Amino acid sequence: TIDTVTTQGNNTISRIYNTNGEQSLALTVVSADSCTDTQVRTFDIVPNPIADFAPINCSIDGITFTDLSSIDTSEVRTSIFLREIDLNDGQGFRPVADLNTFTFNPNTSGQYPITYRVTSDLGCIDDTTKILTIPEADFMVENVCFGEEAQFLEQSAIFGSPIILYEWDFDSDGTIDAQGTSASFAYPAVGTFDATLTITNISGCTATITKQVNVRDAPVVEAIPDVFICGGDSVELSASISSLNTIVGVEWDNNAGSGETVIVSPTETTLYTGIATDETGCTGEDFVLVNVVDLPYIPADTLICEGNSFTIDATIPGGIPAVYAWSTGSLDPVIEITEPGTYTLEAIATNFDVAGRECVFTHTVVVDFNTSPLPIENQITACFIEEPLNINLTSNFVNVVW
């Protein structure tokens, strides 16, 4: 099969061979009078080497490699005899006896184009270039008070190569405590701890940074035990505070005031929190529950319709033990009133705290019964000749419908 035809003056041809091994070429020349001559030559197509490599360890402390280069020896006996690397440092290619034992020390973070070139013993050459990016790890964390969680937020420089792994070691014990771009950790004691972040990018290159976290001692606040008071009374709340630092303020919630001692007069059971702050901004707190022993709401004066009844339940809330005495002689906290009059209650709450105190309450209720007459009791007969008829109702009606 004739593959290529040339004419006089164009005696050079080229062809790409896709297989290795022995090849033959026949050249036939034809003269102007149609005379011909043919020559056959046999030659070998030798394989190209394939340059390839991958980083194993890649960080600012050094980059090591795995040589992945290859050459096809199935048809032709050949091998790679020269290996060279260009670190893009202006020195060009330098030979390396074994890429697997070669180490490149970049010293700083950033991008590093690396070209690897291999040459076979038959003179064939191939090269490949890869850009290795060494990130720069960094994170933000603030000193914290004991009992609080330290908040960690990464702020690394990636130089265009995405980070695929963030690993946190909060106390540098070699154990990975968390992963992700942010994390939190509650330290178990007061002191200074080394926190380490290691990041890995898509190229497999890593960077590590360690920072100190100072866990400060927080104030210890011990408030008085929970207390009971009678309705309308006051009680003094106090807190003892211990701290390695100077206390700059003590605040109580629910408008109780400031200072280690405050006086409160709650009208209902209330939980108070005392918060102490030291000069470093650390805080400690404790709680006091002030239980208010009091009667439920009872109206002072009541007006009901004649024929109805009125029930008063004076049971002290919270299951507080108490004795009750009504002016009617009833000893039950609940009475039903069916007659008008003045009703007085004396209630004594007892045994509600270890001090054995009592709360004595007196309450008076005036109950009136309102009769329900018809607005107009008698029939009215009138003649409408000159003047209209005026009908006047008593003033104790709140709603009138004609």
Side-chain angles (χ1 to χ4, degrees):
T1 301
I2 303 301
D3 298 308
T4 305
V5 176
T6 63
T7 59
Q8 186 176 3
N10 186 17
N11 299 325
T12 301
I13 62 172
S14 62
R15 183 183 182 188
I16 296 176
Y17 288 86
N18 296 318
T19 57
N20 301 321
E22 186 179 88
Q23 304 289 337
S24 296
L25 174 65
L27 172 63
T28 299
V29 294
V30 181
S31 66
D33 55 3
S34 300
C35 294
T36 64
D37 186 34
T38 300
Q39 293 288 331
V40 178
R41 294 286 187 270
T42 300
F43 56 92
D44 289 328
I45 298 296
V46 298
N48 269 322
I50 300 175
D52 194 14
F53 69 94
I56 301 178
N57 299 308
C58 178
S59 70
I60 197 173
D61 298 324
I63 304 175
T64 58
F65 306 90
T66 294
D67 192 342
L68 302 176
S69 302
S70 63
I71 189 168
D72 184 5
T73 60
S74 61
E75 299 292 340
V76 178
R77 184 176 181 179
T78 184
S79 63
I80 297 174
F81 91 104
L82 179 62
R83 293 171 173 83
E84 300 170 291
I85 193 167
D86 183 357
L87 301 176
N88 198 38
D89 56 0
Q91 298 184 23
F93 283 98
R94 68 202 72 182
V96 290
D98 185 357
L99 186 65
N100 295 321
T101 61
F102 179 79
T103 299
F104 169 47
N105 296 305
N107 296 323
T108 60
S109 303
Q111 291 187 332
Y112 292 90
I114 297 176
T115 301
Y116 185 48
R117 184 170 69 187
V118 293
T119 304
S120 73
D121 56 353
L122 297 178
C124 296
I125 301 173
D126 187 39
D127 63 62
T128 183
T129 299
K130 295 183 179 181
I131 298 177
L132 301 183
T133 302
I134 299 178
E136 182 178 351
D138 194 12
F139 65 89
M140 179 181 68
V141 63
E142 295 181 354
N143 294 329
V144 295
C145 305
F146 179 65
E148 300 176 348
E149 286 192 339
Q151 303 296 323
F152 298 84
L153 179 63
E154 78 86 22
Q155 294 184 325
S156 304
I158 65 174
F159 304 103
S161 182
I163 303 299
I164 60 174
L165 183 61
Y166 298 85
E167 296 176 304
W168 300 90
D169 181 359
F170 298 123
D171 48 10
S172 291
D173 62 354
T175 300
I176 302 303
D177 299 308
Q179 294 183 351
T181 57
S182 61
S184 60
F185 185 72
Y187 285 93
V190 174
T192 300
F193 299 86
D194 290 333
T196 300
L197 169 64
T198 301
I199 60 176
T200 304
N201 65 16
I202 197 170
S203 300
C205 297
T206 63
T208 299
I209 187 172
T210 298
K211 291 185 177 182
Q212 287 189 334
V213 181
N214 183 22
V215 181
R216 302 185 296 250
D217 186 36
V220 177
V221 180
E222 186 174 354
I224 63 171
D226 296 345
V227 296
F228 286 82
I229 64 171
C230 301
D233 290 350
S234 300
V235 66
E236 182 180 271
L237 305 182
S238 62
S240 61
I241 303 169
S242 59
S243 175
L244 298 178
N245 302 303
T246 302
I247 299 299
V248 297
V250 180
E251 299 291 334
W252 296 82
D253 63 357
N254 290 316
N255 298 316
S258 303
E260 295 185 18
T261 301
V262 295
I263 296 176
V264 296
S265 302
T267 57
E268 61 183 359
T269 297
T270 304
L271 181 67
Y272 292 92
T273 304
I275 304 174
T277 305
D278 68 15
E279 59 187 341
T280 69
C282 291
T283 62
E285 63 183 26
D286 199 9
F287 310 92
V288 180
L289 180 65
V290 179
N291 299 276
V292 179
V293 180
D294 205 352
L295 292 173
Y297 170 75
I298 302 175
D301 298 317
T302 301
L303 182 66
I304 62 175
C305 296
E306 186 177 28
N308 294 338
S309 63
F310 179 55
T311 299
I312 299 177
D313 186 352
T315 303
I316 295 176
I320 302 296
V323 293
Y324 302 89
W326 288 93
S327 56
T328 61
S330 174
L331 302 180
D332 195 301
V334 181
I335 64 170
E336 185 174 2
I337 299 174
T338 58
E339 297 180 357
T342 300
Y343 296 83
T344 301
L345 166 69
E346 182 180 83
I348 303 175
T350 60
N351 299 321
F352 50 80
D353 65 1
V354 295
R357 295 186 302 115
E358 294 183 346
C359 292
V360 179
F361 306 101
T362 300
H363 193 82
T364 299
V365 180
V366 177
V367 179
D368 287 327
F369 282 77
N370 186 18
T371 58
S372 301
L374 292 173
I376 303 172
E377 296 183 356
N378 301 317
Q379 183 176 358
I380 299 175
T381 302
C383 296
F384 297 93
I385 299 176
E386 297 179 354
E387 297 181 358
L389 174 64
N390 294 320
I391 302 176
N392 297 317
L393 304 180
T394 58
S395 60
N396 61 341
F397 295 103
V398 296
N399 188 38
V400 178
V401 178
W402 293 90

